[in-house]
Amino acid sequence: MAKQTDNMSNTADISLNLEVLGLEHDESRLYVLLGQSGALSVLDASRILDIPRTTTYRLVERLRSKDLVRESDDSSGLKVHACGADSLQRLVRTHQEEVDQQRQLLPSIVGALTNLTGGGPLGIRVNHYAGIDGARQVFMNSLEANDVIRSFTREDMDSFFNYGWHEEVRQEYVRRGLRRKDLMNP
């Protein structure tokens, strides 16, 4: 849980709070290190953090894509700097905009998913049964459907059961007004 204090001086607390803002653990460690150090080469940062240099390059790239670091080239080579607090504020605004967009899209997504499930609840359940007894259980469970039964199978129902039992299930489907849509994977 994020620690909320007015005077956060502990780098672990700062890193934890940066993770709450959406940075990954090593991203937050690198950002705090750069904030403390001013500017470092990727090699120096990787040594201090004790993470591989190639990983550090990827972390720098991810932080750059979030506009949290910038690079400069001086006489001693390429250095990475942490950007200021305004960058973190932009990051939070971006997250907020994404959440607002998700909140707006959610009702239409739920509606579309509900239509896919035949208007029923979204609590879709996947059960696994084996053998003839399992197949019988699947067909008995399918009698609880409201309208359409969608199934994914390897073989047709005729392959598992004798014609008599299969015909009884088919007649019960008709009596209850159930339709089947099978997707077969040979």
Side-chain angles (χ1 to χ4, degrees), residues 90-134:
R90 277 194 305 273
L91 180 68
V92 169
R93 273 196 306 274
T94 301
H95 287 315
Q96 184 61 47
E97 290 167 3
E98 290 171 356
V99 168
D100 291 344
Q101 184 179 19
Q102 291 168 351
R103 190 173 287 125
Q104 288 175 349
L105 289 173
L106 184 61
S108 62
I109 292 170
V110 169
L113 287 172
T114 301
N115 289 338
L116 286 176
T117 62
L122 292 176
I124 298 169
R125 194 176 70 212
V126 176
N127 295 322
H128 177 78
Y129 298 101
I132 297 296
D133 290 335

XYZ file of all heavy atoms in Angstrom, residues 90-134:
341
model
N 1.614 15.120 -15.719
C 1.108 14.755 -17.051
C 0.784 13.264 -17.112
O -0.223 12.860 -17.705
C 2.127 15.112 -18.128
C 2.075 16.552 -18.582
C 2.858 16.778 -19.880
N 4.249 16.347 -19.817
C 5.255 17.098 -19.379
N 5.027 18.327 -18.950
N 6.484 16.631 -19.360
N 1.630 12.442 -16.476
C 1.390 11.003 -16.448
C 0.076 10.691 -15.751
O -0.729 9.894 -16.245
C 2.551 10.287 -15.746
C 2.450 8.767 -15.633
C 2.567 8.121 -17.012
C 3.534 8.234 -14.703
N -0.171 11.334 -14.629
C -1.422 11.113 -13.894
C -2.613 11.586 -14.727
O -3.643 10.909 -14.792
C -1.384 11.806 -12.513
C -2.754 11.806 -11.861
C -0.361 11.129 -11.615
N -2.481 12.733 -15.395
C -3.572 13.221 -16.255
C -3.850 12.229 -17.387
O -5.005 11.961 -17.710
C -3.226 14.595 -16.833
C -3.612 15.749 -15.946
C -3.612 17.086 -16.673
N -2.352 17.391 -17.354
C -1.298 17.983 -16.772
N -1.357 18.346 -15.507
N -0.203 18.219 -17.460
N -2.795 11.685 -17.961
C -2.957 10.692 -19.030
C -3.694 9.466 -18.511
O -4.615 8.961 -19.158
C -1.586 10.291 -19.613
O -0.950 11.446 -20.129
C -1.729 9.254 -20.704
N -3.295 8.986 -17.330
C -3.982 7.835 -16.731
C -5.451 8.170 -16.472
O -6.331 7.341 -16.719
C -3.317 7.400 -15.425
C -2.008 6.697 -15.594
N -1.785 5.703 -16.517
C -0.829 6.845 -14.930
C -0.545 5.279 -16.427
N 0.068 5.955 -15.476
N -5.698 9.368 -15.977
C -7.073 9.776 -15.689
C -7.912 9.811 -16.973
O -9.056 9.364 -16.989
C -7.109 11.145 -15.004
C -8.502 11.581 -14.593
C -9.136 10.629 -13.606
O -8.514 10.223 -12.636
N -10.364 10.243 -13.859
N -7.326 10.321 -18.051
C -8.032 10.351 -19.333
C -8.331 8.938 -19.819
O -9.421 8.673 -20.341
C -7.213 11.121 -20.371
C -7.135 12.606 -20.101
C -6.077 13.317 -20.935
O -5.423 12.657 -21.784
O -5.919 14.539 -20.741
N -7.380 8.029 -19.636
C -7.602 6.634 -20.028
C -8.715 6.012 -19.203
O -9.576 5.298 -19.733
C -6.313 5.828 -19.880
C -5.253 6.190 -20.893
C -3.898 5.550 -20.598
O -3.739 4.878 -19.552
O -2.977 5.742 -21.416
N -8.721 6.266 -17.898
C -9.772 5.732 -17.026
C -11.129 6.318 -17.415
O -12.133 5.596 -17.477
C -9.451 6.000 -15.535
C -10.655 5.723 -14.649
C -8.260 5.166 -15.093
N -11.175 7.615 -17.710
C -12.429 8.242 -18.140
C -12.939 7.602 -19.421
O -14.138 7.316 -19.552
C -12.241 9.744 -18.340
C -12.016 10.496 -17.035
O -12.294 9.924 -15.953
O -11.549 11.658 -17.105
N -12.027 7.349 -20.362
C -12.427 6.707 -21.617
C -12.926 5.289 -21.358
O -13.934 4.860 -21.928
C -11.259 6.690 -22.596
C -11.629 6.132 -23.953
C -10.462 6.150 -24.911
O -9.306 6.251 -24.516
N -10.751 6.034 -26.196
N -12.243 4.545 -20.481
C -12.682 3.190 -20.145
C -14.065 3.223 -19.493
O -14.921 2.381 -19.792
C -11.668 2.523 -19.211
C -10.352 2.219 -19.883
C -9.266 1.832 -18.897
O -9.428 1.942 -17.682
N -8.134 1.392 -19.411
N -14.269 4.193 -18.608
C -15.560 4.323 -17.929
C -16.677 4.600 -18.943
O -17.775 4.083 -18.826
C -15.479 5.434 -16.881
C -16.685 5.486 -15.968
C -16.513 6.481 -14.826
N -15.567 5.934 -13.860
C -14.465 6.553 -13.448
N -14.158 7.744 -13.883
N -13.669 5.994 -12.564
N -16.381 5.413 -19.959
C -17.377 5.708 -20.984
C -17.653 4.496 -21.871
O -18.789 4.276 -22.290
C -16.919 6.877 -21.850
C -16.962 8.213 -21.155
C -16.384 9.337 -22.017
O -15.769 9.090 -23.042
N -16.581 10.575 -21.576
N -16.625 3.718 -22.164
C -16.785 2.556 -23.036
C -17.422 1.358 -22.339
O -18.015 0.510 -22.996
C -15.430 2.129 -23.600
C -14.812 3.038 -24.641
C -13.392 2.581 -24.973
C -15.660 3.065 -25.897
N -17.293 1.280 -21.034
C -17.740 0.098 -20.301
C -19.198 -0.276 -20.564
O -19.480 -1.441 -20.861
C -17.480 0.267 -18.802
C -17.821 -0.945 -17.937
C -16.994 -2.156 -18.352
C -17.595 -0.620 -16.481
N -20.169 0.642 -20.495
C -21.558 0.228 -20.740
C -21.767 -0.396 -22.121
O -22.484 -1.395 -22.241
C -22.352 1.534 -20.595
C -21.498 2.398 -19.737
C -20.085 2.046 -20.090
N -21.135 0.155 -23.157
C -21.330 -0.427 -24.490
C -20.650 -1.792 -24.599
O -21.164 -2.688 -25.259
C -20.841 0.525 -25.576
O -19.470 0.766 -25.447
N -19.502 -1.951 -23.936
C -18.830 -3.257 -23.959
C -19.670 -4.297 -23.228
O -19.854 -5.415 -23.707
C -17.416 -3.147 -23.358
C -16.517 -2.303 -24.264
C -16.803 -4.525 -23.131
C -15.180 -1.933 -23.647
N -20.188 -3.924 -22.062
C -21.033 -4.854 -21.297
C -22.268 -5.217 -22.118
O -22.667 -6.383 -22.183
C -21.427 -4.247 -19.932
C -22.508 -5.063 -19.259
C -20.200 -4.157 -19.040
N -22.853 -4.221 -22.785
C -24.020 -4.497 -23.625
C -23.693 -5.456 -24.756
O -24.452 -6.391 -25.035
N -22.556 -5.236 -25.403
C -22.150 -6.118 -26.507
C -21.877 -7.525 -26.003
O -22.274 -8.507 -26.637
C -20.913 -5.550 -27.201
N -21.223 -7.647 -24.859
C -20.961 -8.977 -24.299
C -22.251 -9.664 -23.885
O -22.406 -10.874 -24.071
C -20.008 -8.870 -23.098
C -18.560 -8.557 -23.439
C -17.759 -8.276 -22.172
C -17.931 -9.683 -24.224
N -23.186 -8.903 -23.347
C -24.472 -9.478 -22.963
C -25.189 -10.009 -24.197
O -25.776 -11.087 -24.163
C -25.334 -8.427 -22.235
O -24.622 -7.993 -21.080
C -26.662 -9.000 -21.824
N -25.120 -9.275 -25.307
C -25.729 -9.749 -26.549
C -25.062 -11.020 -27.047
O -25.732 -11.897 -27.584
C -25.665 -8.662 -27.628
C -26.607 -7.525 -27.338
O -27.584 -7.672 -26.610
N -26.306 -6.366 -27.899
N -23.751 -11.110 -26.881
C -23.040 -12.319 -27.299
C -23.468 -13.533 -26.492
O -23.451 -14.650 -26.988
C -21.524 -12.142 -27.143
C -20.825 -11.255 -28.155
C -19.354 -11.124 -27.793
C -20.968 -11.815 -29.556
N -23.814 -13.313 -25.236
C -24.201 -14.428 -24.377
C -25.702 -14.664 -24.413
O -26.245 -15.321 -23.537
C -23.750 -14.191 -22.923
O -24.400 -13.016 -22.429
C -22.254 -14.054 -22.822
N -26.376 -14.109 -25.404
C -27.812 -14.337 -25.538
C -28.627 -13.545 -24.543
O -29.728 -13.939 -24.196
N -28.111 -12.445 -24.052
C -28.851 -11.625 -23.107
C -28.725 -12.106 -21.680
O -29.287 -11.536 -20.773
N -27.992 -13.174 -21.466
C -27.854 -13.708 -20.120
C -26.775 -12.995 -19.340
O -26.177 -12.039 -19.807
N -26.510 -13.475 -18.143
C -25.490 -12.836 -17.309
C -24.100 -13.051 -17.890
O -23.863 -13.976 -18.648
C -25.655 -13.550 -15.962
C -26.237 -14.872 -16.307
C -27.119 -14.628 -17.514
N -23.175 -12.185 -17.504
C -21.807 -12.290 -17.999
C -20.995 -13.349 -17.261
O -19.849 -13.561 -17.595
C -21.098 -10.938 -17.871
C -21.638 -9.869 -18.797
C -20.937 -8.555 -18.529
C -21.461 -10.264 -20.233
N -21.548 -14.003 -16.286
C -20.821 -15.015 -15.530
C -20.670 -16.292 -16.334
O -21.211 -17.331 -15.978
N -19.959 -16.228 -17.433
C -19.764 -17.380 -18.300
C -18.897 -18.394 -17.563
O -17.922 -18.052 -16.929
C -19.108 -16.952 -19.625
C -20.028 -15.990 -20.359
C -18.772 -18.168 -20.477
C -19.355 -15.313 -21.541
N -19.279 -19.642 -17.678
C -18.595 -20.703 -16.952
C -18.075 -21.720 -17.956
O -18.773 -22.088 -18.889
C -19.630 -21.342 -16.022
C -19.087 -22.210 -14.970
C -20.209 -22.700 -14.066
N -21.037 -23.645 -14.779
C -22.339 -23.799 -14.584
N -22.969 -23.069 -13.718
N -23.016 -24.688 -15.259
N -16.862 -22.160 -17.771
C -16.295 -23.207 -18.611
C -16.012 -24.409 -17.720
O -15.294 -24.305 -16.738
C -14.984 -22.746 -19.293
C -14.367 -23.881 -20.084
C -15.252 -21.541 -20.176
N -16.641 -25.530 -18.066
C -16.440 -26.766 -17.311
C -15.755 -27.778 -18.210
O -15.945 -27.768 -19.427
C -17.768 -27.340 -16.833
C -18.460 -26.445 -15.846
O -17.813 -25.837 -15.007
N -19.772 -26.336 -15.932
N -14.997 -28.653 -17.607
C -14.326 -29.710 -18.356
C -14.828 -31.044 -17.835
O -14.790 -31.311 -16.634
C -12.807 -29.613 -18.165
C -12.074 -30.719 -18.848
N -11.854 -30.724 -20.199
C -11.536 -31.861 -18.367
C -11.207 -31.825 -20.526
N -11.000 -32.521 -19.427
N -15.316 -31.860 -18.749
C -15.771 -33.201 -18.412
C -15.047 -34.188 -19.317
O -14.701 -33.870 -20.442
C -17.287 -33.337 -18.640
C -18.117 -32.416 -17.783
C -18.644 -31.241 -18.310
C -18.353 -32.707 -16.449
C -19.410 -30.390 -17.537
C -19.116 -31.860 -15.658
C -19.639 -30.705 -16.215
O -20.394 -29.869 -15.441
N -14.865 -35.413 -18.821
C -14.158 -36.428 -19.598
C -15.006 -37.678 -19.744
O -15.817 -38.009 -18.871
C -12.829 -36.774 -18.925
N -14.820 -38.368 -20.864
C -15.459 -39.639 -21.094
C -16.949 -39.531 -21.400
O -17.519 -38.452 -21.515
N -17.572 -40.697 -21.504
C -19.003 -40.774 -21.831
C -19.842 -40.137 -20.735
O -20.777 -39.378 -21.016
C -19.428 -42.252 -22.040
C -18.676 -42.859 -23.228
C -20.929 -42.367 -22.224
C -18.997 -42.207 -24.558
N -19.511 -40.413 -19.457
C -20.282 -39.816 -18.366
C -20.159 -38.297 -18.380
O -21.132 -37.592 -18.121
C -19.813 -40.370 -17.010
C -20.197 -41.828 -16.824
O -21.185 -42.264 -17.461
O -19.515 -42.520 -16.047
N -18.970 -37.798 -18.703
C -18.784 -36.361 -18.798
C -19.605 -35.765 -19.929
O -20.226 -34.705 -19.784
